[in-house]
């Protein structure tokens, strides 16, 4: 399976290289949009309700126009993250009302500027955070969430950049204060955040990185970390066998019983950071049993014990920091530092695979199966495979169609690399 992963990665790299030479999509208005009467429309992935993959639809929606302080972006690529899977299930605090367009990051070309926008011009190549609505041909988002991208950065790379690299950077340098000679344990080392963490750690001298990942990913990612363990192994004993004192930083996206294990591995003055709870996701739909099990397994933290052992426990949510806590200025500074590292060839987004909008169900299943190495990208201009095209579901915003049966996607071949 490792060999298959390497072959897929090579095919994806070839697709990324060809991305800049793609012809515009046929039909519509020549810019990818469509007209019904006098109204311009666009394609967008719509979540019709919380639940399984059958709740996702490719629909036509009215094209948004920028408000004061916003930019309108012609989207080229969108990032697909594990949080999107949790949103689909309704497995988040205070979920928004459906129907909605998922997605929190994209890349593309500035198509229009709202009033009072400065520093950008029509035609600029950009990447952006979006508070939902990213999985569409056009998005509008406030200027404080938009960043110009280097000329040599492809749109798929740019869409893979914001969420994962900003998350990794803030946790390592802003929260945990990573310095020379320290050690880090990161779970899901083969995922997008895990690979970003590994690359950023390599920019600091003598940092030891311990990683956990599925065995089939080990061959592909073995050179990115110092020590690699199977995700189902007793990694606590494995780490202590190598470093009896433990580690300085634990980055946990799993939660459940891994919280107690992570705290037990911390050296004095070490920092444990929880930034996800993927152990709560087991089936295609939200599982109250998995939620209760994960909650029950979380070690109840005693502040007196933290005081006595000189340990730090923290949490990090990038989307809350941006959209609820108003720290866009802090994040812009982080992005500037990350782009400087990119221009110095010290970091580079790892793109697992490219998928058409029509293939969003298959792409999301790949994340659910934990089959990706790096980031999955929705390529807005990519043509779906014939099999995918026959299975696509496209409606008008007000249209209705017969429900898919949950689990149908398991019987279909996932071949995102075939043009």
């Amino acid at each position: 399976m490792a060999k298959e992963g390497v072959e897929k990665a090579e095919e994806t790299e070839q697709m990324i290289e060809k991305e800049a030479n793609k012809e515009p999509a046929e039909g519509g208005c020549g810019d990818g949009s469509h007209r019904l009467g006098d109204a311009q429309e666009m394609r967008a992935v719509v979540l019709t309700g919380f639940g399984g993959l059958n709740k996702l639809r490719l629909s036509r929606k009215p094209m948004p126009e920028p408000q004061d302080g916003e930019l309108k972006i012609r989207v080229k690529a969108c990032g697909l993250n594990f949080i999107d899977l949790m949103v689909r299930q309704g497995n988040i605090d205070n979920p928004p009302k459906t129907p909605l367009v998922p997605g929190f990051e994209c890349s593309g070309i500035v198509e229009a500027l709202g009033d009072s926008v400065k520093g950008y011009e029509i035609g600029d190549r950009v990447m952006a955070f979006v508070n939902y609505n990213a999985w569409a041909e056009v998005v509008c988002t406030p200027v404080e969430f938009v960043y110009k991208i280097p000329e040599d950065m492809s749109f798929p790379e740019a869409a893979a950049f914001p969420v994962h690299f900003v998350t990794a950077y803030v946790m390592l340098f802003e929260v945990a204060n990573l310095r020379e000679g320290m050690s880090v344990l990161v779970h899901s080392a083969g995922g997008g955040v895990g690979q970003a963490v590994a690359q950023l750690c390599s920019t600091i001298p003598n940092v030891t990185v311990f990683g956990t990942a599925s065995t089939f990913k080990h061959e592909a990612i073995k050179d990115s970390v110092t020590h690699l363990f199977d995700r189902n192994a007793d990694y606590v004993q494995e780490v202590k066998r190598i470093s009896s004192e433990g580690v300085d930083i634990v980055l946990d996206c799993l939660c459940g019983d891994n919280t107690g294990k992570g705290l037990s591995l911390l050296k004095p003055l070490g920092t444990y950071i929880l930034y996800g709870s993927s152990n709560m996701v087991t089936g295609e739909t939200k599982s109250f049993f998995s939620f209760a099990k994960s909650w029950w397994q979380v070690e109840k933290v005693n502040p007196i014990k933290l005081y006595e052992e000189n340990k730090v426990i923290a949490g990090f949510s990038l989307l809350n920091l941006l959209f609820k806590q108003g720290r866009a200025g802090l994040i812009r500074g982080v992005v500037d530092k990350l782009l400087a590292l990119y221009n110095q060839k010290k970091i580079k987004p790892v793109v697992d695979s490219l998928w058409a909008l029509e293939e969003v169900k298959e792409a999301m299943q790949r994340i659910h199966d934990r089959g990706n190495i790096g980031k999955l990208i929705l390529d807005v201009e990519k043509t779906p495979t014939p099999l995918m095209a026959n299975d696509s579901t496209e409606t008008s915003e007000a249209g209705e169609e017969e429900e898919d049966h949950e689990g149908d996607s398991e019987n279909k071949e996932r071949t995102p690399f075939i043009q």
Side-chain angles (χ1 to χ4, degrees):
M1 296 186 72
K3 181 178 179 181
E4 180 184 359
V6 172
E7 291 174 350
K8 288 183 176 181
E10 291 175 351
E11 291 184 75
T12 297
E13 286 296 324
Q14 294 173 4
M15 291 183 67
I16 292 174
E17 290 174 2
K18 292 189 293 183
E19 183 274 338
N21 298 320
K22 285 187 176 180
E23 295 294 329
E26 294 184 2
C29 302
D31 58 359
S33 60
H34 305 264
R35 289 186 182 275
L36 283 182
D38 294 327
Q40 267 195 315
E41 291 200 331
M42 64 176 184
R43 294 183 306 149
V45 175
V46 175
L47 180 66
T48 61
F50 299 119
L53 296 169
N54 64 332
K55 300 299 183 181
L56 293 167
R57 294 282 182 270
L58 183 60
S59 302
R60 297 201 186 282
K61 293 176 62 69
M63 186 179 297
E65 293 300 329
Q67 304 300 306
D68 184 26
E70 292 185 340
L71 290 89
K72 178 181 179 181
I73 301 171
R74 173 67 57 175
V75 176
K76 297 294 185 179
C78 324
L80 204 161
N81 300 290
F82 202 88
I83 185 66
D84 297 311
L85 189 154
M86 299 185 74
V87 168
R88 191 203 76 213
Q89 294 185 347
N91 208 354
I92 58 173
D93 288 335
N94 301 313
K97 293 182 179 180
T98 57
L100 61 88
V101 176
F104 297 102
E105 62 185 339
C106 65
S107 63
I109 298 173
V110 175
E111 194 167 82
L113 306 175
D115 293 339
S116 77
V117 171
K118 297 180 181 179
Y120 292 88
E121 298 179 354
I122 293 174
D124 281 345
R125 301 171 73 251
V126 296
M127 59 186 178
F129 290 108
V130 188
N131 194 7
Y132 293 99
N133 297 307
W135 294 357
E137 291 180 317
V138 174
V139 302
C140 291
T141 193
V143 64
E144 58 262 34
F145 303 142
V146 182
Y147 318 91
K148 294 179 183 178
I149 61 176
E151 286 300 319
D152 62 344
M153 179 181 280
S154 70
F155 287 119
E157 286 180 335
F161 199 85
V163 169
H164 285 170
F165 270 96
V166 172
T167 295
Y169 188 97
V170 173
M171 290 194 299
L172 288 172
F173 297 106
E174 300 290 338
V175 180
N177 193 22
L178 177 67
R179 301 183 303 281
E180 181 177 353
M182 295 179 73
S183 54
V184 179
L185 169 65
V186 58
H187 291 294
S188 300
V193 173
Q195 287 295 288
V197 165
Q199 290 187 31
L200 289 171
C201 285
S202 71
T203 67
I204 305 297
N206 302 318
V207 171
T208 301
V209 180
F210 298 88
T212 68
S214 300
T215 304
F216 77 89
K217 298 184 181 182
H218 285 199
E219 182 64 27
I221 68 172
K222 64 182 181 181
D223 294 332
S224 65
V225 298
T226 316
H227 304 284
L228 188 58
F229 313 121
D230 181 74
R231 66 189 300 267
N232 296 314
D234 184 355
Y235 63 85
V236 173
Q237 293 304 315
E238 292 293 330
V239 171
K240 287 188 174 180
R241 181 178 58 82
I242 299 168
S243 175
S244 59
E245 280 194 300
V247 297
D248 297 292
I249 301 170
V250 174
L251 304 179
D252 182 11
C253 60
L254 304 177
C255 198
D257 61 352
N258 291 282
T259 299
K261 293 177 181 179
L263 286 170
S264 73
L265 279 172
L266 284 183
K267 295 179 181 179
L269 302 182
T271 303
Y272 164 92
I273 305 174
L274 180 70
Y275 69 99
S277 54
S278 63
N279 275 353
M280 294 184 184
V281 177
T282 52
E284 186 177 336
T285 57
K286 183 177 180 179
S287 168
F288 288 100
F289 173 77
S290 297
F291 175 84
K293 179 181 178 182
S294 184
W295 180 86
W296 180 260
Q297 289 177 331
V298 173
E299 180 171 311
K300 306 307 179 283
V301 177
N302 183 342
I304 299 299
K305 188 176 181 181
L306 292 176
Y307 152 73
E308 292 174 344
E309 296 182 354
N310 286 300
K311 294 181 178 180
V312 178
I313 185 170
F316 181 68
S317 167
L318 173 59
L319 299 180
N320 284 346
L321 192 69
L322 272 174
F323 301 129
K324 294 183 179 180
Q325 298 167 335
R327 296 298 191 270
L330 168 66
I331 299 306
R332 182 167 295 279
V334 169
V335 171
D336 289 343
K337 294 174 183 176
L338 287 167
L339 289 177
L341 291 173
Y342 177 87
N343 288 329
Q344 294 165 20
K345 311 298 183 184
K346 292 183 177 180
I347 62 173
K348 182 180 178 66
V350 177
V351 176
D352 173 81
S353 48
L354 306 179
W355 304 76
L357 292 179
E358 292 87 347
E359 299 167 334
V360 63
K361 297 178 185 179
E362 302 290 332
M364 191 163 277
Q365 184 64 47
R366 182 168 173 83
I367 282 190
H368 184 278
D369 295 340
R370 278 72 166 179
N372 57 297
I373 298 174
K375 188 67 161 262
L376 279 80
I377 297 296
L378 295 178
D379 184 339
V380 175
E381 296 179 346
K382 181 180 181 295
T383 302
T385 67
L387 176 61
M388 304 286 185
N390 292 336
D391 185 47
S392 66
T393 52
E394 186 166 326
T395 68
S396 65
E397 187 174 19
E400 297 181 356
E401 62 183 41
E402 184 180 351
E403 286 280 302
D404 294 340
H405 296 288
E406 289 194 22
D408 280 359
S409 61
E410 296 177 1
N411 299 320
K412 297 182 176 65
E413 183 182 4
R414 295 197 297 275
T415 51
F417 308 100
I418 299 175
Q419 291 278 45

